[in-house]
Amino acid sequence: MQIDTLPPLREVIATHGLQAKKQLGQNFLLDLNLTARIARASGPLEGVTVIEVGPGPGGLTRALLAGGAKKVIAIERDERALPALAEIAAAYPGRLEVISGDAMETDYAALADGPTRIVANLPYNIGTELLTGWLTLDPWPPFFESLTLMFQREVAERIVAKPGDKPFGRLGVLCGWRTDAKIMFNVDRNAFTPPPSVTSSVVHLKPKAIDATPRVARLEEVTRAAFGQRRKMVRQSLKSLGLPVPMLLEAAGLKGEERAEELPISAFLAIARAVEAAR
């Protein structure tokens, strides 16, 4: 697939010595059909500012720009990639801003410019941490319209898991509380260079309006206690919160015999509000 006049990605990698580094969590997507599919998964891009993390040689960057994004702000820690990204910027004048820096230390809200989305093939070693950071922002809804992100399939299943599902845990509670999340499609390991050891999935998360309570930190305290001993009944696992367990169970309408992975998200929220009121 030819989406612009720039060289094929394999040629870009060879020209700039961009072999993926394991310590940076890099696995490059070289199929422009696939990067265009990821770009489309975020929705129509006209008039939208897109923040991309870890663009590497720029396959997804090019797809986002060719797909009509008003502007792409790409955050890249690997200085080897900067010349390749500069070539893309020259091909799309005024539409690509490259920030040479650490994605974990970036003020994303400060980059927002009108309708803003985050679209990225995230480095596997920091993907979950970045997602958690974006989902724990306050106030809520946040500065971004949506997140369209690549994860290992196992992480993606935890993101979209519902109560009663085997992967349901702390991440599923957070994502289910604050977003509507769905797996858009899977990506075979052989689509990457080098191939990772697992299948990947593209996940789309759209923020939804929620009650202002409880505070995120309080909900995380509750889910940490509940899932920290996930095979135990909640009457036992909630003891670590240091408050009368019967009071917490009553607030959530629970008997205490349930296990954390069975509880609806509303129960975790009710417990967190009860904890907040008692502290």
Side-chain angles (χ1 to χ4, degrees):
M1 178 180 181
Q2 188 68 26
I3 62 172
D4 53 33
T5 59
L6 291 163
L9 288 169
R10 290 190 185 278
E11 187 177 318
V12 172
I13 286 173
T15 298
H16 296 286
L18 274 176
Q19 286 68 32
K21 287 187 175 181
K22 186 175 181 179
Q23 61 267 38
L24 294 178
Q26 291 175 329
N27 299 90
F28 298 144
L29 283 173
L30 304 187
D31 183 347
L32 290 175
N33 283 298
L34 186 51
T35 59
R37 188 180 180 192
I38 297 170
R40 290 194 301 271
S42 71
L45 292 168
E46 289 75 13
V48 172
T49 295
V50 177
I51 300 173
E52 182 188 6
V53 175
L60 180 55
T61 314
R62 288 164 62 173
L64 291 165
L65 291 164
K70 177 182 75 173
K71 182 179 183 180
V72 174
I73 303 172
I75 301 157
E76 181 55 68
R77 178 182 175 186
D78 187 355
E79 294 185 356
R80 299 176 305 153
L82 299 183
L85 295 171
E87 292 174 0
I88 299 173
Y92 293 92
R95 293 176 59 201
L96 174 60
E97 177 184 347
V98 179
I99 297 175
S100 179
D102 190 335
M104 298 301 298
E105 298 176 359
T106 299
D107 181 355
Y108 291 92
L111 302 177
D113 180 14
T116 301
R117 302 176 196 160
I118 300 177
V119 184
N121 170 21
L122 294 177
Y124 283 156
N125 57 351
I126 59 171
T128 305
E129 191 172 354
L130 281 171
L131 174 64
T132 301
W134 292 324
L135 294 186
T136 53
L137 292 171
D138 277 317
W140 192 269
F143 68 89
F144 54 82
E145 287 187 340
S146 64
L147 305 169
T148 306
L149 308 169
M150 180 93 74
F151 295 97
Q152 297 177 49
R153 175 71 187 188
E154 178 187 357
V155 176
E157 289 175 345
R158 288 166 49 209
I159 289 170
V160 303
K162 300 292 189 290
D165 295 344
K166 188 176 180 181
F168 185 62
R170 295 178 62 197
L171 189 58
V173 173
L174 179 61
C175 294
W177 174 38
R178 291 200 148 189
T179 73
D180 290 313
K182 64 183 292 188
I183 294 176
M184 303 299 287
F185 55 89
N186 296 328
V187 181
D188 188 87
R189 59 185 294 274
N190 292 314
F192 297 87
T193 300
S197 58
V198 295
T199 298
S200 299
S201 299
V202 173
V203 183
H204 183 73
L205 303 100
K206 188 171 182 60
K208 59 187 180 184
I210 57 170
D211 198 333
T213 61
R215 288 182 296 157
V216 175
R218 199 63 77 202
L219 179 66
E220 290 190 316
E221 181 184 357
V222 169
T223 57
R224 190 181 305 115
F227 287 102
Q229 304 179 71
R230 64 184 298 146
R231 296 314 305 159
K232 293 188 175 181
M233 296 179 183
V234 289
R235 69 158 63 100
Q236 182 66 33
S237 60
L238 294 178
K239 286 181 179 179
S240 63
L241 292 171
L243 291 168
V245 172
M247 174 194 76
L248 301 178
L249 296 175
E250 182 181 356
L254 301 176
K255 296 178 181 178
E257 300 169 357
E258 304 88 346
R259 290 179 171 81
E261 64 265 28
E262 303 168 346
L263 300 186
I265 293 172
S266 59
F268 291 103
L269 296 173
I271 295 168
R273 292 187 186 104
V275 172
E276 200 150 73
R279 293 245 167 102

